[in-house]
Amino acid sequence: MIKNVLILSFMLLFNPLFLFAQEEEELFEGVTNIQNYTPSKLLEKGKWDIKWFNNLYSQTRANANGENLKVPRSTFFNTSLEVFTGISQNKKWNTGVILEFRSNTFTNQKVTSVFSFQNEVGKSRSGLAHIAPSVKVAPFHQLPRFSIQSSFFIPVFDKETNENGYLAQKSFIWQNRFFYDYTFPGEKFQLFSEFGTRMFFGKKNKNEDGSFNPNGGFANTSLEVAPGIFLSYFPTSKFTVLGYVQHAQLIDLGNEFSQNYSALGAGAKYQLSEILNIELLYSKFVRGYESGLGQSFNMGLRAIF
């Protein structure tokens, strides 16, 4: 079943787009970074890509056992720093690292409470969550706009337990993201697709006798698949607006827990300078099973030089 889900999702996302494969690798030469350097495009040797991305998620509704419920407000702030560089002359390999810092608050506090970065038992928790060495490859010469990013997330915090406040998944996570984009003739519309997988490794959060194991993780021994499609429109080469649909499915591989959710979103990007661009995104979680039903606000700064 899992194999069929992976194959079907991959085919739905990428097979139609391969019909429009862009064989000219230099098609975007001379245009702005927001048009050219999508996540699909790899860097030239010696070039650097630094991205600071911030995600603020807040919820007052959640799904539990198939029923949508009102819950006390909880807010989760994740800020990440991604640094990549090109290491091959033919633009086939990039290497980098990802750092994740989180701040979460519970017990019906204000959304902005996460920016206090406090650690208070049962009310708030903050700290460095994961470090992830990463590699990126463009495997096919005839598909320069198709790439794969593989990252291994290492947890650097103590305990996942809710007793002191949940911070992040206490898991070693092997993440693979498959990227592809296509720019339509006229360079006004661009279609970008992503298919992500995450394998969660580590101790389970329940012992054999059913008692809670604070050193385990709720998602350990599971696989997440996450497809997404983004459509961008460029009124000018320096500005784009976009809409997107995303889904995530956590598949139980032995930990007796599964969940899924779907989100709709919209946003914009602007090229501030030749090097720096900014993006603003909004997402609404429109459905879910064993998951939150909140909304997220995102802001990112990206420098390519």
Side-chain angles (χ1 to χ4, degrees):
M1 177 182 175
I2 295 172
K3 182 179 179 181
N4 292 337
V5 170
L6 289 171
I7 293 174
L8 179 60
S9 299
F10 189 87
M11 290 177 63
L12 289 173
L13 276 175
F14 293 109
N15 278 6
L17 297 179
F18 285 166
L19 298 175
F20 303 101
Q22 292 165 294
E23 299 182 3
E24 295 297 329
E25 192 167 357
E26 301 303 325
L27 177 64
F28 295 94
E29 186 175 358
V31 300
T32 60
N33 285 341
I34 60 172
Q35 289 178 296
N36 190 9
Y37 286 102
T38 67
S40 308
K41 178 70 180 291
L42 268 68
L43 301 167
E44 297 84 351
K45 184 176 182 180
K47 206 158 192 173
W48 289 86
D49 181 354
I50 300 176
K51 184 175 182 179
W52 177 41
F53 191 77
N54 301 278
N55 171 272
L56 178 67
Y57 171 83
S58 189
Q59 65 178 33
T60 56
R61 296 175 64 246
N63 181 280
N65 298 317
E67 184 179 358
N68 294 343
L69 306 169
K70 288 186 176 181
V71 295
R73 180 177 295 280
S74 54
T75 303
F76 305 86
F77 175 67
N78 178 38
T79 182
S80 63
L81 181 67
E82 302 181 14
V83 181
F84 281 85
T85 186
I87 59 173
S88 61
Q89 294 288 356
N90 58 2
K91 292 181 279 189
K92 294 297 182 183
W93 291 91
N94 289 177
T95 186
V97 65
I98 301 171
L99 305 176
E100 289 186 340
F101 183 92
R102 294 177 181 266
S103 177
N104 306 330
T105 59
F106 315 95
T107 64
N108 225 18
Q109 298 182 61
K110 294 180 180 179
V111 173
T112 55
S113 60
V114 292
F115 299 116
S116 297
F117 302 104
Q118 298 294 316
N119 283 287
E120 188 174 356
V121 176
K123 293 185 177 181
S124 62
R125 191 174 177 189
S126 65
L128 185 64
H130 291 95
I131 297 176
S134 305
V135 65
K136 199 169 183 179
V137 59
F140 305 118
H141 176 73
Q142 296 300 320
L143 291 172
R145 310 299 294 192
F146 173 77
S147 64
I148 304 169
Q149 179 178 310
S150 185
S151 306
F152 192 76
F153 287 80
I154 302 168
V156 291
F157 63 98
D158 181 44
K159 298 182 180 179
E160 186 181 287
T161 174
N162 283 327
E163 293 177 6
N164 297 325
Y166 174 80
L167 181 66
Q169 292 153 322
K170 184 66 175 178
S171 309
F172 291 92
I173 306 169
W174 181 31
Q175 180 189 67
N176 290 285
R177 302 171 71 187
F178 301 83
F179 302 122
Y180 184 82
D181 71 74
Y182 173 74
T183 297
F184 293 90
E187 298 184 2
K188 288 293 185 181
F189 289 92
Q190 188 177 74
L191 190 65
F192 169 75
S193 59
E194 174 183 352
F195 181 80
T197 67
R198 292 196 297 171
M199 283 288 300
F200 297 88
F201 305 94
K203 298 179 181 179
K204 297 181 181 180
N205 65 352
K206 288 185 180 180
N207 298 312
E208 292 184 1
D209 60 2
S211 60
F212 181 73
N213 175 18
N215 295 311
F218 79 90
N220 290 341
T221 319
S222 61
L223 168 69
E224 181 188 77
V225 294
I229 295 180
F230 302 71
L231 179 63
S232 299
Y233 170 66
F234 292 87
T236 72
S237 62
K238 291 186 176 182
F239 177 66
T240 181
V241 292
L242 64 145
Y244 53 94
V245 180
Q246 293 179 304
H247 179 76
Q249 188 92 22
L250 187 68
I251 302 169
D252 173 20
L253 298 181
N255 69 341
E256 300 180 358
F257 177 78
S258 62
Q259 67 176 179
N260 64 79
Y261 58 84
S262 304
L264 301 176
K269 296 182 182 181
Y270 183 73
Q271 191 77 38
L272 296 170
S273 68
E274 184 178 348
I275 293 175
L276 186 66
N277 66 67
I278 185 172
E279 63 179 307
L280 299 172
L281 304 171
Y282 169 79
S283 298
K284 175 67 176 178
F285 290 72
V286 294
R287 58 154 307 280
Y289 175 78
E290 294 294 338
S291 70
L293 297 171
Q295 53 189 336
S296 68
F297 304 86
N298 310 277
M299 188 277 287
L301 289 172
R302 188 185 187 196
I304 300 175
F305 55 91

